Amino acid sequence: MTSTESSGNNTARPTPSAPESTSASVPRFSRAERMIHRTTAILMTVCILTAAVLYNGSIAVPVGHRHLIELIHVYCGFALPIPMLLGILSFAYRADLRRLGRFTPADRRWLRTRTRRDGTITVGKFNAGQKLNASLASGSILVLLGTGVLMYFVKLAPLPWRSGATFVHDWFSLALGLLVVGHVIFALKDPEARRGMRTGSVSRAWARTEHAGWLHDLESAAATESAAEVPEK
Amino acid sequence: MQNALAQVIGPVADHDPTGLLSLIPLGDTFRYYSVTGSVREETADNYRLSVSGLVDHPATYSISDLKALPQTSLIQDFQCVTGWHVPGVHWAGVQLSVLLEKAAPAKQARAVRFTSFDGTYTESLTLAEARRPDVMVALEMLGAPVTHDHGGPVRMYAGSMYGYKSTKWLSGIELAETETPGYWETRGYDIDGIIRE
């Protein structure tokens, strides 16, 4: 880290690299963020399952109960943005939103190259794919919410609007469904990423491989902190 | 754009060996609504349609009775109130006005109520609406007998009205003095389902 590291035999003084040797995990997601993720995941799953019933005749007829399924779908859909909106109250969530919304030239290079996982391009807390997923998913949710309102409250708008809303809702739901499937596949392939979302922390080694830029920022922040604790000479 | 997409995807879906394309929404296709649990399948042999209420001649029709009456057919859109529609659907069956004529409604009859053998669904039309030429007791749609999923063996088709006015799995037609709000109408839709836009 810094040049003080070389004075290894001085055990009385904490060195800036102390956090690295003391803890194998680093905090990634706050409790609030994990709760937001969990509730959004549940609502999204219910929306997808009920959508499958509403859209697909071979499921819709045996299941029946159209009005009930529709109500569940509509109210879970209305509720879907609420955890994310409440997240605005959380400092950690707001900080991560800022990170997710910031596309850098390095992100564009990351998306274009095939060797994006080899570490040549330094990745921050979120890689460009995660940023893209966040933008597309939140954008699609808003479109689905707007068109869903038009379809559900049939007196709001004239018929051509409702036809248009149905068309847009159909295709956006398909796109968002594929996005969710992709998200789940990536999560299934990476147990440590799942641990991060389940427990809140990830191993330092994983962070170094997948999000080196973020780990570096964390370590420098920790270094500054512990350096500040060093008594003045 | 919607039409262009439907034109491209329709033929592809028709020739899709996996059938996966039919699982996803592709514009101008039917979505199958059932408001109860599973609806019992009614065979053409056992099916009966009753015409009752404020009439001089109540009657019960089997499918062959219905087929013996003058048949009519037309090509008309199916439009759902939520927005989806299927253009140019072929419908065939008996005009409702023919059955009403035979039943001879009493003077005070002003409305026609429909019941479904799903046990739950209800609908009604004014007597004037029920006598329109595009309101029929449908025995065929899309060029074949009405399938179970489409509300067969016999369903209503109320043309120029939203789909919820066309009762599926039709079992009874009852003349009455007034319309009663039907299944979807007690859940927010207008009793007047005529498409005006």
Side-chain angles (χ1 to χ4, degrees):
Chain A
M1 300 271 101
T2 63
S3 57
T4 52
E5 232 173 348
S6 56
S7 58
N9 52 356
N10 186 352
T11 47
R13 227 172 72 181
T15 64
S17 61
E20 171 136 25
S21 49
T22 50
S23 144
S25 334
V26 283
R28 183 160 169 82
F29 293 118
S30 72
R31 174 181 289 273
E33 288 181 295
R34 283 176 281 143
M35 278 168 55
I36 293 165
H37 181 263
R38 184 59 59 94
T39 43
T40 304
I42 292 170
L43 291 170
M44 181 67 85
T45 307
V46 176
C47 279
I48 289 174
L49 292 178
T50 47
V53 176
L54 295 174
Y55 271 140
N56 188 331
S58 52
I59 311 177
V61 176
V63 172
H65 300 104
R66 180 129 196 134
H67 188 242
L68 177 66
I69 305 284
E70 185 186 297
L71 282 182
I72 296 172
H73 182 79
V74 163
Y75 282 99
C76 285
F78 288 161
L80 192 56
I82 291 174
M84 289 182 271
L85 288 176
L86 289 177
I88 303 300
L89 298 173
S90 147
F91 177 78
Y93 185 81
R94 285 202 308 275
D96 278 354
L97 272 193
R98 275 194 294 276
R99 290 187 177 104
L100 283 168
R102 197 181 296 132
F103 277 87
T104 65
D107 286 327
R108 276 182 273 280
R109 266 186 288 131
W110 190 92
L111 285 173
R112 258 186 270 121
T113 174
R114 284 188 166 278
T115 55
R116 58 180 77 94
R117 301 272 177 191
D118 69 1
T120 343
I121 302 171
T122 310
V123 171
K125 185 163 185 180
F126 301 106
N127 66 41
Q130 291 169 317
K131 291 178 184 180
L132 205 56
N133 178 64
S135 307
L136 292 176
S138 47
S140 304
I141 287 172
L142 289 181
V143 170
L144 289 169
L145 185 69
T147 50
V149 164
L150 288 181
M151 290 156 71
Y152 185 66
F153 301 104
V154 295
K155 285 166 192 167
L156 277 185
L159 182 59
W161 283 54
R162 275 175 272 147
S163 296
T166 302
F167 174 68
V168 172
H169 199 86
D170 288 356
W171 285 95
F172 268 79
S173 58
L174 187 64
L176 181 59
L178 291 176
L179 210 58
V180 170
V181 168
H183 179 70
V184 169
I185 289 173
F186 277 115
L188 287 177
K189 288 198 293 200
D190 192 341
E192 195 57 23
R194 292 205 305 278
R195 186 169 88 95
M197 200 38 103
R198 199 175 59 246
T199 67
S201 34
V202 291
S203 75
R204 201 170 282 273
W206 180 86
R208 189 172 291 116
T209 327
E210 299 288 339
H211 302 278
W214 169 62
L215 183 66
H216 179 261
D217 292 347
L218 276 184
E219 284 173 345
S220 355
T224 323
E225 246 171 62
S226 52
E229 282 162 20
V230 175
E232 293 291 324
K233 276 193 234 178
Chain B
M1 178 172 171
Q2 181 158 12
N3 290 340
L5 258 177
Q7 271 169 15
V8 173
I9 294 164
V12 179
D14 287 343
H15 297 100
D16 172 22
T18 62
L20 283 177
L21 273 177
S22 64
L23 298 182
I24 54 177
L26 291 165
D28 299 338
T29 54
F30 273 96
R31 289 143 207 229
Y32 300 86
Y33 288 21
S34 162
V35 300
T36 62
S38 66
V39 180
R40 77 181 144 89
E41 300 230 6
E42 190 65 270
T43 61
D45 291 342
N46 291 332
Y47 177 81
R48 294 291 180 276
L49 172 65
S50 75
V51 179
S52 60
L54 302 174
V55 291
D56 291 344
H57 308 297
T60 303
Y61 295 89
S62 68
I63 297 241
S64 42
D65 296 337
L66 290 170
K67 280 183 178 157
L69 294 170
Q71 302 291 300
T72 183
S73 72
L74 52 89
I75 290 175
Q76 207 164 302
D77 298 356
F78 188 89
Q79 174 70 58
C80 176
V81 65
T82 62
W84 62 269
H85 90 302
V86 183
V89 181
H90 179 265
W91 303 91
V94 181
Q95 274 182 351
L96 182 57
S97 60
V98 171
L99 291 180
L100 295 176
E101 202 57 44
K102 290 179 78 71
K107 240 189 217 129
Q108 67 273 33
R110 290 283 175 279
V112 184
R113 297 173 183 175
F114 303 91
T115 50
S116 165
F117 63 80
D118 74 2
T120 301
Y121 202 84
T122 52
E123 246 312 324
S124 43
L125 297 172
T126 65
L127 192 53
E129 285 168 351
R131 285 180 164 143
R132 290 162 76 125
D134 58 356
V135 174
M136 69 161 79
V137 172
L139 301 169
E140 280 184 25
M141 78 184 267
L142 304 164
V146 182
T147 62
H148 175 75
D149 288 359
H150 279 301
V154 177
R155 68 171 294 167
M156 284 303 302
Y157 174 66
S160 52
M161 297 179 215
Y162 287 121
Y164 65 87
K165 300 302 283 188
S166 297
T167 305
K168 289 169 81 173
W169 302 298
L170 182 69
S171 63
I173 296 172
E174 189 190 338
L175 278 285
E177 283 183 47
T178 54
E179 286 186 285
T180 356
Y183 181 85
W184 288 112
E185 289 146 11
T186 56
R187 289 162 177 80
Y189 296 159
D190 284 337
I191 287 200
D192 176 0
I194 293 175
I195 302 164
R196 294 198 169 78
E197 302 152 303

